[in-house]
Amino acid sequence: MKIILKFEIQNNTITKNYRSFLLSYFKFTLSEHCHELYKKYYSEKYNVKNFCFSTYMKNAVFGKDEISFKNDFSVTLSVDDASLEGIDWYNAFLKMKNKAFRLPSQNEMVLKNVRIEKERIQNQAQDQDGSALKMKYIIIRVRSDEDASEIDWVV
């Protein structure tokens, strides 16, 4: 299950370390609105998490220490369908809608929209027994701070 989160941000810049405050936002959301998942993910015994996320910042400009973009960005959170935890995530995010979350450098973000998208299998390959295999690609982007060049690898 994919959960698409649309945020508005007060200032048009964020630090390059935006992943840490997004994880803080997820952790805060679960601690406030879904105690069971919070205990599962952030107890001392549990290390593996069955979710991942990606961000989209339209027309982003990457500086040395910060990223500049329009005042909105989106986050796609993917959760394992088999666990049924996606609904708990979705409900927790709905309770966070239109609430400000403080960020570093006198900035804050507000969740404006939450929606669910079903995962689609775009390319289907057949296993030897005839069952469909999901094909996923990972794109790794490396940015050079010195000359602002980019290198992409598809794995």
Side-chain angles (χ1 to χ4, degrees):
M1 170 185 295
K2 288 197 294 189
I3 302 171
I4 313 297
L5 309 170
K6 299 276 186 183
F7 290 96
E8 284 185 2
I9 196 159
Q10 184 179 11
N11 300 335
N12 292 355
T13 61
I14 57 172
T15 65
K16 275 194 168 178
N17 193 17
Y18 66 91
R19 290 173 194 88
S20 65
F21 71 70
L22 286 175
L23 286 172
S24 294
Y25 181 80
F26 296 158
K27 192 173 181 179
F28 177 77
T29 299
L30 293 180
S31 71
E32 292 291 311
H33 303 294
C34 191
H35 303 292
E36 300 83 24
L37 275 183
Y38 178 80
K39 287 178 188 175
K40 178 181 177 183
Y41 288 145
Y42 299 105
S43 70
E44 296 171 9
K45 299 176 187 174
Y46 194 82
N47 292 325
V48 178
K49 295 165 180 55
N50 67 344
F51 68 89
C52 63
F53 68 94
S54 63
T55 57
Y56 176 70
M57 301 167 203
K58 188 172 184 173
N59 300 324
V61 177
F62 291 82
K64 185 170 183 166
D65 295 325
E66 60 188 18
I67 304 169
S68 301
F69 55 94
K70 283 178 48 178
N71 68 340
D72 60 342
F73 68 99
S74 64
V75 175
T76 302
L77 180 82
S78 294
V79 183
D80 180 22
D81 284 336
S83 68
L84 301 177
E85 292 174 356
I87 299 300
D88 292 331
W89 278 98
Y90 178 73
N91 289 333
F93 286 130
L94 283 178
K95 292 176 184 174
M96 289 295 291
K97 234 175 131 175
N98 297 315
K99 294 183 182 175
F101 184 77
R102 292 223 178 266
L103 302 176
S105 303
Q106 305 294 325
N107 205 352
E108 64 182 34
M109 66 183 192
V110 178
L111 179 61
K112 289 297 186 180
N113 191 12
V114 182
R115 66 184 167 89
I116 295 177
E117 273 189 14
K118 188 169 175 71
E119 297 269 358
R120 295 179 302 210
I121 301 175
Q122 294 182 351
N123 298 326
Q124 282 194 351
Q126 298 271 323
D127 199 356
Q128 291 177 350
D129 64 354
S131 61
L133 296 173
K134 289 185 179 181
M135 298 183 73
K136 304 267 180 172
Y137 301 99
I138 298 174
I139 298 175
I140 301 169
R141 179 169 288 161
V142 178
R143 297 186 189 278
S144 172
D145 289 337
E146 297 167 359
D147 60 0
S149 62
E150 296 179 358
I151 302 171
D152 292 341
W153 290 287
V154 178
V155 181

